């Protein structure tokens, strides 16, 4: 099976603000739909992303979950970036956080 | 100039000292900065908010400090440029004869006005370099930038389309004290403040202090939206990861949070909010 991968570095190296997160969801939707993706998961690749704020992460990840409720979101590329992991954990702990 | 030897000795002495000496700093449309120590980000930020609030008046006036060293500091922090932006032209002239040795000082971040959220976001890379130049390692610089970014987001998220004055956006000021391994980073805005933002959702809030405390618990004034919590992260990371202090002055309320707990105080009112995180590094 071919997995759909969203490379977050293509959205920016520093990802901040809810507005940017919402815009990123809209772009991601076009990318995913354009690929006619049929896989059950969606890989969010954070390689080479320096900083993600909780506002962006919340808006982006919860937006994707709402958009694709049947896909499993898998994170990769956050290894070695403790701050990024902490932010993603915050989002994960709250489910669809506020 | 403040006494550097007291830094880090207790609960934000600089801020406490600023308010203790601020009685009479405002007289109608005159702001008298000769009465207070303005050589740190918090004092500069509050001063800017006081000046913004009075910018519309033709008889507005600012009394500058007399001390040449303080004036040099203010010029290095580009305070003169903010005065010019706000129309305090008499005071701007005072700086024309002030010479400063250098513009580049890696231990200070001059007053920066980001009018729009895009402008703020575009400067985040520069602010990350600022934290590195201050002495933070890679991960701490990233963590500080997350705190910084979230504070900046709040400015725009809660004021967009609703600025009380013609001055929109955030004011950013930062300073490093290498001897004490202490960084102060202040973000101010002449916006609606915590009470103005939260009152629609929580009409029972009785004053600015109550509103700040509500915000610190993660509540938001954006009715019908699933959001909030950013301020909790700012608070937790500042205190737990940096053993630092989060100071918030909004309207007439001041709230300080650190490892010892929360302290509140009624202080002179300002338009909008100034928030500052103080962090320590090794």
């Amino acid at each position: 099976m071919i997995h759909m991968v969203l490379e977050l570095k293509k959205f920016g190296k520093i990802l901040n603000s809810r507005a940017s997160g919402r815009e990123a969801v809209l772009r991601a939707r076009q990318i995913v739909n354009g690929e006619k993706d049929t896989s059950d998961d969606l890989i969010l690749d954070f390689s080479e992303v320096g900083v993600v704020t909780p506002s962006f992460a919340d808006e982006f990840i919860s937006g994707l979950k709402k958009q694709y409720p049947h896909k499993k979101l898998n994170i990769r590329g956050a290894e070695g970036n403790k701050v990024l992991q902490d932010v993603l954990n915050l989002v994960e702990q709250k489910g669809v956080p506020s | 100039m403040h006494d550097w030897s007291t830094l880090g000795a207790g609960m934000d002495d600089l801020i406490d000292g600023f308010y203790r000496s601020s009685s009479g700093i405002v007289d109608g449309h005159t702001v008298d900065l000769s009465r207070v120590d303005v050589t740190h980000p918090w004092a500069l930020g509050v001063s800017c908010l006081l000046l913004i609030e009075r910018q519309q008046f033709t008889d507005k006036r600012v009394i500058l400090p007399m001390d040449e060293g303080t004036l040099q500091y203010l010029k290095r922090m580009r305070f003169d440029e903010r005065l010019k932006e706000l129309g305090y032209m008499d005071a701007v002239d005072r700086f024309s004869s002030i010479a400063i040795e250098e513009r580049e000082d890696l231990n200070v971040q001059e007053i920066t006005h980001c009018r729009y959220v895009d402008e703020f976001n575009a400067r985040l890379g520069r602010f990350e370099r600022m934290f590195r130049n201050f002495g933070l390692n890679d991960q701490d610089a990233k963590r500080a930038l997350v705190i910084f970014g979230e504070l900046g987001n709040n400015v725009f998220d809660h004021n967009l389309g609703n600025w009380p004055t013609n001055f929109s956006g955030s004011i950013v000021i930062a300073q490093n004290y290498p001897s004490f391994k202490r960084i102060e980073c202040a973000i101010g805005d002449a916006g609606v403040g915590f009470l103005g933002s939260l009152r629609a959702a929580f009409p029972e809030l009785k004053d600015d202090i109550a509103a700040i405390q509500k915000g610190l618990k993660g509540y938001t004034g954006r009715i019908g939206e699933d959001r909030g919590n950013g301020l909790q992260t700012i608070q937790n990371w500042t205190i737990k990861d940096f053993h630092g202090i989060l100071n918030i002055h909004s309207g007439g309320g001041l709230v300080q949070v650190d490892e010892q707990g929360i302290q509140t105080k009624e202080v002179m009112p300002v338009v909008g909010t100034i928030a500052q995180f103080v962090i320590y590094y090794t």
Side-chain angles (χ1 to χ4, degrees):
Chain A
M1 179 184 289
I2 299 171
H3 297 286
M4 182 74 212
V5 180
L6 283 175
E7 295 180 275
L8 271 293
K9 68 181 179 187
K10 294 184 177 176
F11 293 86
K13 299 293 177 71
I14 297 175
L15 300 171
N16 180 45
S17 88
R18 290 187 176 276
S20 300
R22 281 193 292 274
E23 180 64 19
V25 172
L26 295 175
R27 282 295 304 139
R29 192 175 65 175
Q30 294 187 359
I31 294 167
V32 172
N33 293 351
E35 291 291 323
K36 294 184 171 45
D37 172 61
T38 56
S39 59
D40 292 332
D41 63 356
L42 184 57
I43 297 171
L44 306 182
D45 185 356
F46 285 86
S47 303
E48 299 179 48
V49 171
V51 173
V52 178
T53 61
S55 291
F56 179 95
D58 175 19
E59 209 63 49
F60 184 66
I61 292 175
S62 61
L64 287 178
K65 282 182 176 174
K66 284 176 188 165
Q67 199 66 232
Y68 301 106
H70 304 299
K71 284 187 186 293
K72 185 183 179 195
L73 300 185
N74 290 315
I75 305 287
R76 79 177 186 203
E79 307 83 8
N81 189 340
K82 177 70 165 57
V83 178
L84 179 51
Q85 290 172 24
D86 287 350
V87 170
L88 295 173
N89 284 339
L90 280 173
V91 175
E92 185 62 30
Q93 281 165 14
K94 287 187 69 77
V96 179
S98 58
Chain B
M1 297 291 230
H2 56 253
D3 178 4
W4 291 63
S5 66
T6 64
L7 281 173
M11 181 88 173
D12 247 336
D13 299 331
L14 285 180
I15 291 178
D16 289 344
F18 175 76
Y19 289 108
R20 275 200 303 273
S21 60
S22 67
S23 173
I25 185 176
V26 172
D27 181 12
H29 301 153
T30 298
V31 179
D32 185 354
L33 299 182
S34 69
R35 293 167 171 266
V36 288
D37 173 8
V38 291
T39 60
H40 53 94
W42 185 268
L44 277 177
V46 173
S47 300
C48 284
L49 294 182
L50 294 172
L51 295 171
I52 290 166
E53 193 175 357
R54 286 156 184 82
Q55 67 167 325
Q56 63 182 306
F57 300 108
T58 53
D59 62 341
K60 63 181 177 293
R61 184 173 170 239
V62 57
I63 300 173
L64 294 170
M66 302 293 286
D67 175 61
E68 189 81 1
T70 302
L71 291 173
Q72 286 178 337
Y73 170 85
L74 290 176
K75 186 163 185 175
R76 194 181 64 192
M77 298 301 277
R78 300 188 183 174
F79 189 66
D80 54 331
E81 294 178 16
R82 297 287 77 81
L83 290 172
K84 188 175 181 182
E85 182 181 10
L86 295 168
Y88 291 84
M89 300 313 290
D90 290 348
V92 173
D93 292 342
R94 177 69 183 87
F95 286 94
S96 59
S97 61
I98 302 294
I100 56 173
E101 290 183 7
E102 56 179 349
R103 274 288 195 189
E104 289 300 317
D105 181 345
L106 295 180
N107 288 314
V108 296
Q109 170 60 49
E110 299 90 349
I111 306 169
T112 303
H113 180 197
C114 300
R115 290 162 187 78
Y116 309 105
V117 68
D118 289 344
E119 197 175 349
F120 179 79
N121 283 335
R123 287 180 165 147
L124 287 176
R126 184 176 127 198
F127 290 124
E128 186 181 13
R129 286 194 295 280
M130 171 192 81
F131 286 121
R132 291 178 199 278
N133 289 333
F134 282 175
L136 296 188
N137 62 36
D138 176 69
Q139 285 297 294
D140 283 349
K142 286 182 166 67
R143 194 174 295 278
L145 191 71
V146 168
I147 296 170
F148 179 84
E150 282 295 317
L151 280 176
N153 287 338
N154 285 343
V155 169
F156 296 99
D157 284 355
H158 296 284
N159 291 297
L160 186 64
N162 200 24
W163 297 99
T165 73
N166 290 329
F167 190 96
S168 63
S170 63
I171 296 168
V172 175
I173 314 157
Q175 194 156 321
N176 177 36
Y177 304 91
S179 301
F180 298 92
K181 296 194 177 301
R182 169 181 165 122
I183 293 168
E184 298 169 355
C185 186
I187 299 182
D189 69 82
V192 297
F194 274 70
L195 190 56
S197 178
L198 284 162
R199 192 172 254 163
F202 304 99
E204 73 279 8
L205 287 171
K206 66 181 192 305
D207 58 26
D208 292 301
I209 290 174
I212 298 169
Q213 289 180 308
K214 193 83 174 176
L216 285 170
K217 288 175 182 167
Y219 293 96
T220 178
R222 302 270 300 226
I223 299 170
E225 297 181 36
D226 188 17
R227 57 197 297 165
N229 208 43
L231 206 49
Q232 272 190 316
T233 303
I234 291 167
Q235 188 181 187
N236 290 339
W237 286 17
T238 299
I239 295 169
K240 290 177 183 168
D241 290 282
F242 290 110
H243 306 288
I245 309 164
L246 178 64
N247 305 292
I248 299 174
H249 175 177
S250 187
L254 171 69
V255 175
Q256 300 182 312
V257 197
D258 70 359
E259 286 174 322
Q260 271 72 55
I262 188 164
Q263 292 189 25
T264 65
K265 195 175 183 179
E266 287 185 15
V267 291
M268 63 175 172
V270 294
V271 61
T273 302
I274 179 167
Q276 174 175 274
F277 62 98
V278 178
I279 56 178
Y280 295 93
Y281 58 96
T282 54

